[in-house]
Amino acid sequence: MTDTNAVRSGTGTPETGCPATLNFMTEHVTLKDVAAHAGVSRTTASYVVTGEGRVSQKTRERVAASMKELGYVYNRGAASLRTQRSSTIGVVVTNIASPFFGELLVGLEDELRAAGFLSLIVATGDDPARQEQIITELREHQIAGLAVVPASGSPKELLDTIAASRVPHVFMTRYLEGEPVPYVGPDDVEGGRLAAQHLLEHGCQTLAYLGGRDVVLSRRDRLDGVRSAVHSARLDKDAVIDVPGDATGESGLDAGERLLAAGPLPDGVICHSDSVAFGFYRALRNHGVPTDSVRLIGYDDIRGAALFEPTLTSIATHPEELGRAAGRKLLTALGVTEPAGTELIETFAPELVVRGSCGCGG
Amino acid sequence: MTDTNAVRSGTGTPETGCPATLNFMTEHVTLKDVAAHAGVSRTTASYVVTGEGRVSQKTRERVAASMKELGYVYNRGAASLRTQRSSTIGVVVTNIASPFFGELLVGLEDELRAAGFLSLIVATGDDPARQEQIITELREHQIAGLAVVPASGSPKELLDTIAASRVPHVFMTRYLEGEPVPYVGPDDVEGGRLAAQHLLEHGCQTLAYLGGRDVVLSRRDRLDGVRSAVHSARLDKDAVIDVPGDATGESGLDAGERLLAAGPLPDGVICHSDSVAFGFYRALRNHGVPTDSVRLIGYDDIRGAALFEPTLTSIATHPEELGRAAGRKLLTALGVTEPAGTELIETFAPELVVRGSCGCGG
DNA sequence: CGGAATTGCTGAATCGATCCACCAATCATA
DNA sequence: TATGATTGGTGGATCGATTCAGCAATTCCG
């Protein structure tokens, strides 16, 4: 009977295409009810609820009492419709479960909350198609702003789409080439350089970079940093072994296995994340190779890095701070905060945290 | 000039009490514009967008083309206001950054998404006051349902408040005593029993339970399980040493230090989370105590458990599956899915994953 | 004391989408 | 060719909160 192809984008399951399943809400206590109960007009009740307008203290209290008594709940949707303003922020990340993004979200959310915004957090699973779907959906929810960690392999048009939507936005941790956009992320070139330099200073002749997806820009940047350090140390270019994968522990295990199978180990290893390092060490142990036979540096300095055996030397990127900075940048883009810095693109210098795994007496 | 005390709950920063800072949205293309452009009425345009009503294929396509051309974005807020339905779900957790909740959120979000719902994820930081604030705020956003991991120390009234709000809901992983409520969580008594039994079978005489906050019900349940196993093994009650803390690695380190200072180690250790176990092993290593001098079992079986040295024997609670189950339960509470099971309270049997740390030949 | 300013409050239009009640045209059928 | 059914489409009221314009009543002040 009903025609099948609804056009509204965000509804229905992506898989089945069946119509969105919505749920009935319960009957509401509205401002009108409150006003009637308190014996004032809707206007006055509204003034009380927003704190605007001229209302006597007496009336204010009476209305507040009515609200409490009736169990009134403010309807932001309706208010938003009328005022054309919104206080929700769309937050798009690739993966909520990763420790790095987890900590980043904590910082971001906290900063936004403090300014009165609520974060709509959604994960893309690093899939550009799903990411696009999600961003449209968020726009349908009348978000005031957007904070995005772009899925790797995001098309350039993503930038145009977002720019065209005129929603204030900030990109995080993964930089997309194209028009310059507000961006907050770690300085990955510097991070790679820092790690490589440290290993080279301690006599490493060959460096392997393990894990991380090939398409991810942060990985390429770090490798650039590594190569520049190798160059400065007057070592040959192919002193750098490149083993892509992804950012998980399993990937590190896998990379380790492949490295072991390929012949003698490099004497220096840089891992795309601390989790990758954990996996790499597991591979060594599975093969009875002592863990101190390589100097290793992890990345991100997640909570567990200091507890592992060996304790992990790592490049700290301070994800929570990064999230805070992104939050602040978005707030200025929204116009609620005075611009702190004038820079559109803000990169944070990473920090080498020396512990045991690099073998220089931690 | 303006009166200071606005009554609307969710606005403004909790700290400063200053009025909410909202942002202006850009001008909209509305259905009216689309209708005018396509030469039809608003009603027809609406029918096209929802897929309802009787509209000829020709008109349908013309309207869809206009929508694309004008860059129309569906306004869920307005639709929600009119229909009194919503497709957002409020999700309240204590901590996004923990691996356990991270994985749980992945499952929950995925299940809800597949049914056409968008998850509003917010973290309470395990603070009941903030939790209450957050739940009100979510209600102001006209959520269709609520999934909550209650902050530890949540007052009983939380249940009443939520029940009174008549929003379909589900509680997760932490059970609150009081009126029975829809709940999905691991069977913690069984988990504790399982761990203790395994250790006792391998000859342990004293068991320590490390980490986890004292007030958390799951911790008490697990200890009950441990004690029941101890009882079955005809061991003395004070064969169980109780070292509360929290669920982090630092807490495990701390608990380890305290245990080492207190005298000879127990021969069996159960940790409130795998992270706690990581910290405990760090304490051992810092003091030069061999890691195989205790049999240890962790909890949750997070991703890193199989990579650590020693590989962690752990009680797997399958957080992602738990999230999925919670999602499904909420969907039936919302009436979009046929009830699968009739049970209000659904506990999932945990699973002992034997690896190296319990010392029985992993 | 009289005009001006201020205080306290209200009526009514409005935001964007929905959907009931209706209408006009077309088609089927006896 | 009536009668009824079906198809394709429209008008207008409505959801809940906001806010401008306006109106009494009170206060201010030369």
Side-chain angles (χ1 to χ4, degrees):
Chain A
M1 275 305 115
T2 49
D3 287 271
T4 51
N5 50 343
V7 179
R8 184 177 48 190
S9 56
T11 69
T13 87
E15 292 79 20
T16 67
C18 80
T21 39
L22 309 173
N23 187 266
F24 287 88
M25 305 188 303
T26 55
E27 76 301 335
H28 281 286
V29 176
T30 76
L31 262 191
K32 195 158 76 178
D33 303 329
V34 171
H37 186 268
V40 295
S41 69
R42 281 177 357 271
T43 304
T44 302
S46 171
Y47 283 152
V48 172
V49 100
T50 55
E52 309 280 320
R54 288 181 306 217
V55 183
S56 72
Q57 194 58 32
K58 227 172 224 148
T59 315
R60 217 168 261 285
E61 279 158 15
R62 206 168 69 249
V63 173
S66 294
M67 284 175 32
K68 200 140 289 173
E69 193 177 330
L70 299 181
Y72 170 72
V73 176
Y74 183 62
N75 185 330
R76 272 169 201 274
S80 207
L81 174 58
R82 180 62 237 259
T83 60
Q84 304 288 76
R85 286 178 235 127
S86 146
S87 63
T88 29
I89 303 289
V91 177
V92 180
V93 295
T94 56
N95 176 10
I96 324 180
S98 112
F100 179 85
F101 290 126
E103 293 180 30
L104 182 138
L105 285 175
V106 169
L108 177 64
E109 207 239 2
D110 197 65
E111 200 75 22
L112 293 176
R113 255 198 88 59
F117 289 91
L118 192 70
S119 314
L120 263 162
I121 301 172
V122 200
T124 59
D126 220 6
D127 171 3
R130 187 149 162 201
Q131 171 178 261
E132 199 188 330
Q133 164 83 10
I134 283 171
I135 290 180
T136 338
E137 232 171 288
L138 286 173
R139 291 224 286 142
E140 297 180 357
H141 277 268
Q142 308 302 111
I143 50 171
L146 194 58
V148 187
V149 177
S152 38
S154 295
K156 284 184 158 188
E157 301 95 60
L158 177 68
L159 294 181
D160 306 336
T161 316
I162 291 181
S165 76
R166 331 249 323 123
V167 175
H169 53 274
V170 62
F171 285 86
M172 303 179 290
T173 71
R174 289 176 183 182
Y175 191 70
L176 286 180
E177 274 135 339
E179 289 296 298
V181 285
Y183 170 80
V184 171
D187 183 340
D188 280 306
V189 179
E190 174 62 11
R193 211 191 50 72
L194 223 52
Q197 192 182 26
H198 185 76
L199 292 176
L200 295 169
E201 276 170 4
H202 287 80
C204 291
Q205 297 292 321
T206 326
L207 302 183
Y209 189 98
L210 305 191
R213 292 178 55 184
D214 220 356
V215 289
V216 179
L217 192 65
S218 69
R219 182 177 202 279
R220 297 199 204 152
D221 283 351
R222 293 183 200 170
L223 269 171
D224 284 349
V226 170
R227 294 212 175 88
S228 99
V230 164
H231 182 76
S232 306
R234 306 189 184 287
L235 282 183
D236 198 58
K237 262 186 188 172
D238 49 64
V240 180
I241 306 171
D242 182 1
V243 188
D246 57 43
T248 63
E250 288 73 28
S251 162
L253 176 59
D254 183 59
E257 296 286 353
R258 277 192 286 160
L259 222 50
L260 285 163
L265 285 180
D267 47 9
V269 168
I270 301 171
C271 291
H272 187 74
S273 75
D274 291 336
S275 301
V276 169
F278 298 157
F280 174 73
Y281 276 121
R282 174 47 50 205
L284 292 192
R285 289 182 163 120
N286 287 351
H287 289 263
V289 179
T291 55
D292 59 2
S293 52
V294 294
R295 297 177 185 273
L296 180 145
I297 297 185
Y299 219 105
D300 289 343
D301 192 31
I302 61 172
R303 295 243 147 77
L307 304 175
F308 200 74
E309 176 63 23
T311 54
L312 235 56
T313 294
S314 189
I315 303 291
T317 46
H318 308 300
E320 187 171 335
E321 267 316 306
L322 230 60
R324 300 206 108 82
R328 282 193 298 270
K329 193 167 210 70
L330 186 53
L331 288 175
T332 79
L334 288 162
V336 315
T337 298
E338 286 313 300
T342 53
E343 299 302 325
L344 197 61
I345 292 169
E346 235 175 295
T347 56
F348 284 75
E351 192 186 341
L352 176 71
V353 180
V354 178
R355 296 202 189 86
S357 67
C358 60
C360 61
Chain B
M1 276 306 112
T2 49
D3 286 87
T4 51
N5 50 341
V7 180
R8 184 177 48 189
S9 56
T11 68
T13 87
E15 292 79 19
T16 66
C18 81
T21 39
L22 307 173
N23 189 266
F24 287 87
M25 304 187 303
T26 54
E27 76 301 337
H28 281 285
V29 177
T30 78
L31 262 192
K32 196 158 75 179
D33 303 327
V34 171
H37 186 269
V40 294
S41 70
R42 274 165 18 259
T43 304
T44 302
S46 172
Y47 283 153
V48 172
V49 100
T50 56
E52 310 279 319
R54 287 182 306 217
V55 184
S56 72
Q57 194 59 32
K58 224 168 229 154
T59 316
R60 218 170 261 286
E61 280 158 14
R62 206 169 69 248
V63 173
S66 294
M67 285 175 32
K68 201 141 289 172
E69 192 177 332
L70 299 181
Y72 170 72
V73 176
Y74 184 62
N75 185 332
R76 270 169 202 274
S80 207
L81 173 59
R82 179 64 236 262
T83 60
Q84 303 289 75
R85 287 178 235 126
S86 147
S87 63
T88 30
I89 303 288
V91 177
V92 180
V93 295
T94 56
N95 176 10
I96 324 180
S98 112
F100 179 85
F101 290 126
E103 292 180 32
L104 181 137
L105 285 175
V106 169
L108 176 64
E109 207 240 2
D110 197 65
E111 200 74 21
L112 293 177
R113 254 199 88 60
F117 289 91
L118 191 70
S119 313
L120 262 162
I121 301 171
V122 200
T124 59
D126 220 6
D127 171 4
R130 188 151 162 198
Q131 170 178 261
E132 199 189 328
Q133 164 82 11
I134 282 171
I135 289 181
T136 333
E137 232 171 288
L138 286 173
R139 291 225 284 141
E140 297 179 356
H141 277 268
Q142 308 302 111
I143 49 172
L146 194 57
V148 186
V149 177
S152 38
S154 296
K156 284 184 158 186
E157 301 95 60
L158 176 68
L159 294 181
D160 306 336
T161 316
I162 291 181
S165 76
R166 330 247 327 120
V167 175
H169 52 275
V170 61
F171 285 86
M172 303 178 291
T173 71
R174 290 177 182 181
Y175 190 69
L176 286 181
E177 274 135 338
E179 289 297 297
V181 285
Y183 170 82
V184 171
D187 184 340
D188 280 307
V189 179
E190 175 62 11
R193 212 191 50 71
L194 224 51
Q197 191 181 29
H198 185 74
L199 292 176
L200 294 169
E201 277 171 2
H202 287 81
C204 291
Q205 296 293 318
T206 326
L207 301 183
Y209 189 98
L210 304 191
R213 292 178 54 183
D214 220 356
V215 289
V216 178
L217 193 65
S218 69
R219 184 177 201 279
R220 296 199 206 154
D221 283 350
R222 293 183 200 170
L223 269 171
D224 284 350
V226 169
R227 294 212 175 89
S228 100
V230 164
H231 183 76
S232 306
R234 305 187 187 287
L235 281 184
D236 198 57
K237 262 186 189 170
D238 48 64
V240 179
I241 305 170
D242 181 0
V243 188
D246 57 42
T248 63
E250 288 73 28
S251 163
L253 176 58
D254 183 57
E257 296 285 354
R258 277 190 286 160
L259 222 49
L260 285 163
L265 285 180
D267 48 7
V269 168
I270 301 172
C271 291
H272 187 74
S273 74
D274 291 336
S275 301
V276 169
F278 298 157
F280 174 73
Y281 276 121
R282 174 48 48 204
L284 292 192
R285 288 181 163 120
N286 286 351
H287 288 262
V289 178
T291 56
D292 59 2
S293 51
V294 294
R295 297 177 183 273
L296 180 145
I297 298 186
Y299 219 103
D300 289 344
D301 191 31
I302 62 173
R303 295 242 147 78
L307 304 175
F308 200 75
E309 176 63 23
T311 54
L312 235 55
T313 294
S314 190
I315 303 291
T317 46
H318 306 300
E320 187 170 336
E321 266 317 305
L322 229 61
R324 300 206 109 81
R328 282 192 299 270
K329 192 165 211 73
L330 187 53
L331 288 174
T332 79
L334 287 162
V336 315
T337 299
E338 287 312 300
T342 52
E343 299 302 326
L344 197 61
I345 292 170
E346 235 175 295
T347 56
F348 285 74
E351 192 187 340
L352 176 71
V353 180
V354 177
R355 296 202 189 86
S357 67
C358 60
C360 62

